[in-house]
Amino acid sequence: MKIGYARVSTQEQNLSLQLDALQVAGCDTIYREKVTSAKKERPELQKLMGQLRVGDVVVVWKLDRLGRSLQDLVSLVNEVQGKGAEFQSLNDHIDTTTPQGKFTFHLFAALAEFERGIIRERTKAGLAAARARGRKGGRPKGLSKEAQHTAMIAETLYQDGDLTVKQICRQLSISRGTFYNYLRHRGVDVGASHNA
């Protein structure tokens, strides 16, 4: 069953555009929310989450109607998928019922983790600067930040099992050897059972 979720940020704004699009998309039920972005409570969204069943698809007009930030969006979609349901955003062409949609969402998840990492780094910047004083520099060991994020995406796609190793390598523009190095770096047991 397709379940729509429409939200506007003020009482004056109109839900009509979202509702029309969700009805055209075939939503059987549509939850409507008029709540400011400052408020954390979204009672209609909580009702929707409570009603989700395996096989349902949560449909929104745009990503920002569901999540207020990238981290919020990733968390909510993970919650949806944790209930055995999927997610679709009409204007952003994201549909986790398809391999391409899952891949796109994994990229979002990686970006959210990247964002969290940057925030952690900024928080620790003062301590790191103090520790670094007086020490000689050198090339850091391990993967670069960019490679670490690619490794995380590679692991997620590998564990998901929807794409073959060849397809993952093509999507990430990496060689098979690099792919397996990334998985080893992430501590993944690479068995022979996965599709080639």
Side-chain angles (χ1 to χ4, degrees):
M1 180 166 89
K2 285 190 171 185
I3 302 172
Y5 177 71
R7 179 178 69 85
V8 289
S9 303
T10 67
Q11 293 297 327
E12 292 76 35
Q13 288 179 318
N14 196 318
L15 288 165
S16 300
L17 181 65
Q18 294 178 56
L19 296 175
D20 290 347
L22 293 170
Q23 285 167 354
V24 168
C27 292
D28 303 298
T29 306
I30 300 174
Y31 289 83
R32 306 155 193 233
E33 196 103 71
K34 286 196 173 189
V35 61
T36 65
S37 57
K39 283 189 178 178
K40 289 194 174 187
E41 297 81 24
R42 289 189 273 174
E44 292 302 308
L45 180 59
Q46 292 312 311
K47 282 183 200 171
L48 182 156
M49 290 298 196
Q51 298 296 318
L52 274 184
R53 300 292 176 262
V54 174
D56 287 345
V57 179
V58 175
V59 184
V60 295
W61 183 60
K62 285 183 78 176
L63 290 173
D64 64 357
R65 298 302 85 202
L66 182 67
R68 295 188 178 110
S69 68
L70 186 55
Q71 289 180 25
D72 186 34
L73 176 67
V74 168
S75 174
L76 286 166
V77 175
N78 282 335
E79 187 179 341
V80 166
Q81 291 183 316
K83 293 176 179 282
E86 296 296 341
F87 172 74
Q88 184 179 19
S89 174
L90 301 175
N91 276 7
D92 304 293
H93 307 291
I94 292 173
D95 182 352
T96 64
T97 63
T98 69
Q100 285 179 321
K102 283 187 181 188
F103 176 73
T104 304
F105 182 70
H106 288 311
L107 290 176
F108 280 160
L111 288 171
E113 186 166 311
F114 177 67
E115 186 178 52
R116 281 192 298 272
I118 287 175
I119 291 167
R120 277 194 302 269
E121 282 179 15
R122 286 180 183 158
T123 304
K124 296 176 181 176
L127 292 173
R131 274 195 303 269
R133 283 191 196 107
R135 293 186 183 174
K136 290 186 179 179
R139 186 175 177 180
K141 294 179 181 177
L143 300 178
S144 68
K145 288 283 182 201
E146 185 179 343
Q148 287 176 28
H149 294 297
T150 305
M152 187 187 66
I153 296 168
E155 177 192 2
T156 304
L157 292 172
Y158 178 76
Q159 301 285 22
D160 204 32
D162 286 337
L163 300 174
T164 65
V165 171
K166 187 176 184 179
Q167 289 171 324
I168 294 170
C169 291
R170 194 178 310 125
Q171 290 274 6
L172 298 177
S173 301
I174 58 174
S175 70
R176 186 180 289 262
T178 300
F179 170 77
Y180 285 112
N181 283 339
Y182 283 171
L183 291 187
R184 279 191 286 277
H185 178 78
R186 299 279 301 171
V188 176
D189 179 27
V190 268
S193 60
H194 199 276
N195 294 334

